[in-house]
Amino acid sequence: MNISPPTRTGSRRRGLHRRRRGAVALLLAVPAAAVPYLLLTQDESRAAKARPSVAAPYKWRNAQVVGGGYVTGLVFNQRERGLLYARTDMGGAYRWDARAEQWIPLTDWLGEKDWNLLGIDSLATDPVDPDRLYLGAGTYTNDWAGNGAILRSTDRGRTFQRTELPFKLGANEDGRGAGERLVVDPSNHSNLLLGSRKNGLWRSTDYGATWRRVESFPVKDGAGSGAGITFVTYGPKGGNTVYAGVADRSTSLYRSTDGGATWQAVAGQPKGQLPQHGVVTGDGTLYVTYTDNLGPNGVTGGSVRKYTPSGGWKDVSPSQGSYGFSGLAVDPRKPSTVMVTTLGRWYPEDEIYRTTDGGATWKALADKSVRDASGAPYAGTHTGHWMTALAIDPFDSGHVLYGTGNGIWRSEDADAGTSHWTAGAKGLEETAILDAIAPPGGATVLTAMGDQGGFRHVDLTRVPSGRMKNPLMSNSTDIDHAASKPSVMARVGTGGAQDGAYSTDGGITWRGFTAEPVAGAHSGRIALAADGSTLVWTQSGQSPYRSTDRGATWSKVRGLSTGAEVVADRSSARTFYSLTGGTLHASTDGGATFTARATGLPADGRLKALPGRAGDLWITGGGKGLLHSTDGGRTFTRLTSVTSASAVGFGKAAPRASYQTLYLIGTVNGVTGVFRSTDKGATWTRVNDETHQWGAIGSQGVVTGDPDTYGRVYIGTNGRGLQYGDPS
């Protein structure tokens, strides 16, 4: 992901993620030919003096997709049966609930200012004290990203303490499927080692509370590739052997025989390849998987190697081709049983290999496995892609899991002649939500989503049967429905046979636009008239265009500049609005022409129209707060209780209330969170809490209430899917 906060890079980029724009300019609204002024009501002035109330506890859950993102690491605890963790490149860490057979998120407490820590670069579970868990958190090493941190837990991730690191980690950068870079010394579990991407090797001797660089380690920068240290692994308990892999094609493996005090390059090591994973068996044998590039993309070669200090190196690759090897697991119960995965073997598909004789012979599992994708139908029954995480249960040789770019596959008989696999990511939701709509009366909610395109959720307790298709977009950036005909919908994105589509049955079936406004049109924002008669599409980097024949023909909108996003009035079918550069423009001829109505508004504010009331508009202006108009944008009122506003949405009115419920992501009288108001913003109640913050939800800017269920609100996240909350 690549925008602030960036979305993922990969075979399907999440770089189309919509960014919350910062707010500038004076909070003044004027008729087109009048002097700017700001109108405050008496009730709003009084509200500014009150703190927001706290709602009765909300219950928060994911709208299920199951997976949807890149699981980069899977780590079993070696001492306690059933204790297993997963890390993701931008969606935090999870603990496996063996009884419920689903994942528990551990890092939803990270808020907006800590969004960079939702990428987990490495994970370690203590082999001596199973209650101890360590996360190496940090998503990017770019200048604009904050430093990484070690999150330390003594209760298996229920709570954490935090140690700031003096450098950055890169959980969503190339090479993120390698590891583990963070490890606990099995002989003295107060000692930990952390391999960094650009700052060398670091050691802690106090359970991760403080860290110092290991000056004796020869690599103190990004090595030849910029990715630095790819894995660190200890030998058997009671010994002093440690290995460290480095993403350097000339010298990529170092060994210490004194617990990490001194290091030497391993003699005879392969050249021209980059190590992905390294595991030492109980008899001291080291297995290493290699690729020719960092991955997960761009890999065209690699190997599997076996090393013993007494016998040297042996190439034990199970096959050869224009692909590499990444995932690596050794059965602790049977050290000669090893499993590896290919990386970049796009045809016919990536493979899983298993050996029971230390690599002398291998069995390919893909064609000798039965796969049940009913738990995540969109993923299909192929083995998957980006298979870099692989783990064998230390207490059950048949229990194996591996990660993909779409979640996890899990088997309980991987050691059988024919193995059986099921989608193993229940509870793990790692998608980027770019927009969401909750149309009245029809499907509960529909999403526009990075990487997966989007889903239509009829029942929030069940996984959808598949992604929205015809066309199937790899990224969908926006979706809208006609307010007075909610079964009429439109969506836009990229990566499909067409990059825009129209539905007349509530999103059950879709038909791609038969024409493009300009050559190569894709992404951007789509607005649909209240009666579904007109589409206005602002494609990426283009002026808005309109269509009155469901995308068969397009004409350029007059009166708006390049990139101007358009919003439909939710009651008047001929009326559209656009907030551009601090000026509110309006159209009363179905979006054909726009004229200015008000100036002096937040230059980067976002505009929303309330359903059911013509001319009822809201602007979220970042640090400039929340503004409201009831006259079609001719004048605006600022709600002074809201000191910062990132996104606003609307839902069913409260009992006995005459106005729809407002939902806000922002800051109310110094408190930042998700808020609900049942009195047009005069008073606010916080509905999320410190354990449910989900990173950069304000920057993501996706919030909507449910029109049929009072109190329900949907929150779009960048890496934790679509969250929905109900009063408990």
Side-chain angles (χ1 to χ4, degrees), residues 270-288:
K271 303 292 184 181
Q273 299 184 48
L274 306 177
Q276 287 267 326
H277 293 269
V279 177
V280 183
T281 68
D283 62 5
T285 300
L286 171 71
Y287 289 89
V288 184

Side-chain angles (χ1 to χ4, degrees), residues 206-402:
D206 54 7
Y207 301 98
T210 62
W211 294 81
R212 287 188 177 183
R213 188 155 75 172
V214 179
E215 297 298 339
S216 63
F217 193 76
V219 179
K220 297 179 175 62
D221 55 17
S225 64
I229 298 170
T230 58
F231 73 80
V232 184
T233 185
Y234 280 93
K237 182 178 180 180
N240 288 311
T241 299
V242 193
Y243 291 94
V246 177
D248 187 294
R249 289 182 173 83
S250 59
T251 305
S252 63
L253 187 68
Y254 294 87
R255 179 171 177 251
S256 172
T257 57
D258 52 15
T262 61
W263 296 83
Q264 300 82 34
V266 176
Q269 62 183 269
K271 303 292 184 181
Q273 299 184 48
L274 306 177
Q276 287 267 326
H277 293 269
V279 177
V280 183
T281 68
D283 62 5
T285 300
L286 171 71
Y287 289 89
V288 184
T289 52
Y290 287 92
T291 54
D292 62 347
N293 283 296
L294 292 172
N297 280 326
V299 173
T300 60
S303 62
V304 181
R305 306 293 177 114
K306 177 179 179 179
Y307 172 77
T308 57
S310 60
W313 289 91
K314 185 176 182 180
D315 187 338
V316 292
S317 304
S319 62
Q320 293 183 343
S322 56
Y323 49 86
F325 295 87
S326 181
L328 171 65
V330 175
D331 188 342
R333 297 160 60 90
K334 304 172 183 178
S336 60
T337 296
V338 183
M339 296 180 71
V340 298
T341 65
T342 61
L343 183 61
R345 187 175 182 259
W346 296 104
Y347 182 81
E349 61 181 339
D350 271 304
E351 183 61 270
I352 311 163
Y353 291 100
R354 184 172 183 267
T355 179
T356 58
D357 54 15
T361 60
W362 295 85
K363 174 186 175 182
L365 301 189
D367 289 340
K368 294 181 174 61
S369 62
V370 177
R371 292 174 179 274
D372 177 3
S374 60
Y378 75 94
T381 56
H382 51 80
T383 56
H385 69 291
W386 292 4
M387 295 158 55
T388 56
L390 178 65
I392 300 174
D393 190 332
F395 297 89
D396 181 354
S397 299
H399 186 205
V400 176
L401 303 93
Y402 69 89

Side-chain angles (χ1 to χ4, degrees), residues 61-77:
R61 289 163 288 192
N62 269 109
Q64 292 187 60
V65 167
V66 179
Y70 186 17
V71 177
T72 49
L74 292 161
V75 182
F76 275 101
N77 185 273

